[in-house]
């Protein structure tokens, strides 16, 4: 049950925060990105990388991760596990941003849309499930 809580917590909180952050960036930069189709395609790249940078800066400034602040009341994990979760979320945002950049630059708009609608969320969900499973395994190994 804790793994399911961890998975849904990671998925819901990071998706909600990233979605909110993406919406704010979208409205702030809408006229700039809409003017050019290639820049519009790269909006998700810039947003993901900006979110990864915020997650890294939060650790540097406050010594606690944003994910720990969001989920800390529901899950009692060690600082090392929170650090690994934070690194994992930063990695997925950087990787998805790089994939978006590569696909937007080298493929057609239809292929890019297919990636944005199906492959990107699928990769994200799969990665979060694997991260939650790893954290659950690590928690069981520590408790024994």
């Amino acid at each position: 049950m804790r793994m399911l809580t961890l998975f849904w917590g990671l998925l819901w909180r990071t998706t909600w925060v990233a979605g909110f952050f993406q919406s704010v960036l979208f409205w702030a930069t809408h006229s700039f990105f809409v003017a050019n189709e290639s820049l519009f395609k790269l909006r998700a790249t810039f947003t993901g990388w900006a979110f990864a940078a915020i997650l890294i800066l939060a650790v540097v400034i406050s010594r606690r991760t944003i994910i720990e602040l969001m989920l800390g009341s529901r899950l009692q994990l060690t600082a090392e596990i929170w650090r690994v979760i934070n690194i994992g979320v930063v990695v997925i945002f950087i990787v998805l941003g790089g994939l978006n950049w590569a696909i937007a630059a080298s493929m057609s708009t239809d292929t890019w849309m297919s990636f944005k609608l199906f492959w990107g969320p699928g990769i994200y969900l799969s990665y979060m499930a694997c991260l939650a499973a790893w954290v659950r395994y690590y928690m069981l190994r520590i408790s024994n």
Side-chain angles (χ1 to χ4, degrees), residues 20-144:
F20 175 77
F21 185 67
Q22 193 169 16
S23 296
V24 169
L25 278 179
F26 172 77
W27 288 111
T29 60
H30 181 70
S31 60
F32 177 71
F33 283 118
V34 171
N36 186 339
E37 182 182 341
S38 61
L39 285 177
F40 178 74
K41 289 179 183 179
L42 296 178
R43 181 179 49 112
T45 297
F46 298 136
T47 303
W49 288 352
F51 191 62
I54 287 172
L55 288 172
I56 293 169
L57 284 174
V59 171
V60 170
I61 292 170
S62 71
R63 301 287 180 210
R64 292 184 68 195
T65 68
I66 292 175
I67 298 168
E68 179 182 359
L69 294 173
M70 291 186 299
L71 294 174
S73 63
R74 294 187 57 136
L75 294 168
Q76 302 303 321
L77 302 174
T78 65
E80 181 183 349
I81 294 175
W82 286 119
R83 184 182 58 79
V84 169
I85 291 171
N86 192 61
I87 290 169
V89 173
V90 166
V91 165
I92 193 62
F93 281 118
I94 290 171
V95 167
L96 283 176
L99 278 172
N100 185 68
W101 187 307
I103 290 171
S106 64
M107 305 213 176
S108 69
T109 301
D110 291 336
T111 305
W112 174 79
M113 282 301 296
S114 176
F115 170 76
K116 288 299 294 172
L117 288 174
F118 303 113
W119 288 100
I123 292 169
Y124 181 75
L125 286 171
S126 301
Y127 185 81
M128 284 300 173
C130 291
L131 183 62
W134 182 85
V135 169
R136 177 67 178 153
Y137 169 76
Y138 190 78
M139 288 170 38
L140 288 174
R141 194 176 68 159
I142 286 177
S143 67
N144 289 335

